[in-house]
Amino acid sequence: MAIKRLEHVGIMVRDIQKSISFYTDTLGLKLKGELDHSNGTIKLAFLGFEVDGETEIELIEGYNDALPAEGKVHHIALKVDDVEEEYQRLQNLNVSFVENEITTLPNGARYIFFEGPDGERIELFEKIN
C-alpha cells in the first residue's frame, strides 16, 4: 500500500480571507500558501504550524455557498507518492470514485476523490515538492 499519512483536512468556508485571519490571528497557525484552483472558481489556502510532516488544514472557498450548520469538513486527504498507481489499486478493489480523472493544480499537486463506505469523501493527494 502506498498511502503515507494524513495529508490535510479540507474545510469549506464562505470567506477565505476572514477564515485565514481567524486561523492565523486567533489560533496561531501559519499561512503556508494560497492558490486558485485550476477550475477558476475555487480558492484554496493551506495552514499549519510549520512542523515537518504535519497534517495541514486546507480552507476551500467557492465549492458550496450553502454551507450546512454542521459538517463543514469537506474531506480528508491521504498523501501518496504516485496518485495514478494508488487510483488503479483502489479501482481494482471496486472503490467508488467521485471523479473519473486525476486533477492537476497549478502548483503541480495532483489529486482524485473517492468515497468511503458511508459516502464520506477521501482524497488521494500527490504533493510535488
Side-chain angles (χ1 to χ4, degrees):
M1 188 174 309
I3 295 173
K4 302 291 184 185
R5 67 178 178 88
L6 183 63
E7 167 66 25
H8 63 260
V9 176
I11 301 173
M12 296 184 297
V13 301
R14 285 189 179 92
D15 181 334
I16 201 162
Q17 292 306 317
K18 181 178 178 181
S19 293
I20 288 170
S21 293
F22 174 79
Y23 281 93
T24 58
D25 299 340
T26 304
L27 299 181
L29 280 81
K30 306 292 184 210
L31 179 62
K32 298 175 84 174
E34 294 180 72
L35 64 98
D36 292 333
H37 192 282
S38 50
N39 71 9
T41 303
I42 295 172
K43 295 185 180 306
L44 306 171
F46 293 88
L47 301 107
F49 293 101
E50 297 182 334
V51 176
D52 285 342
E54 72 182 339
T55 300
E56 296 177 345
I57 291 175
E58 175 190 32
L59 303 177
I60 308 162
E61 177 188 282
Y63 182 82
N64 179 359
D65 290 336
L67 299 180
E70 297 178 358
K72 291 171 185 68
V73 172
H74 180 264
H75 66 275
I76 63 168
L78 305 173
K79 184 176 182 180
V80 296
D81 288 332
D82 185 333
V83 71
E84 289 178 32
E85 181 180 301
E86 198 62 15
Y87 174 53
Q88 291 299 320
R89 185 183 77 81
L90 293 178
Q91 278 186 315
N92 291 336
L93 295 172
N94 297 316
V95 169
S96 178
F97 279 81
V98 176
E99 304 155 321
N100 294 321
E101 293 184 22
I102 295 167
T103 298
T104 302
L105 293 172
N107 66 358
R110 301 169 65 206
Y111 71 85
I112 192 162
F113 284 94
F114 64 98
E115 293 181 340
D118 292 305
E120 67 274 21
R121 287 195 172 197
I122 304 168
E123 175 184 3
L124 295 175
F125 187 81
E126 179 182 339
K127 191 173 194 173
I128 307 303
N129 295 330

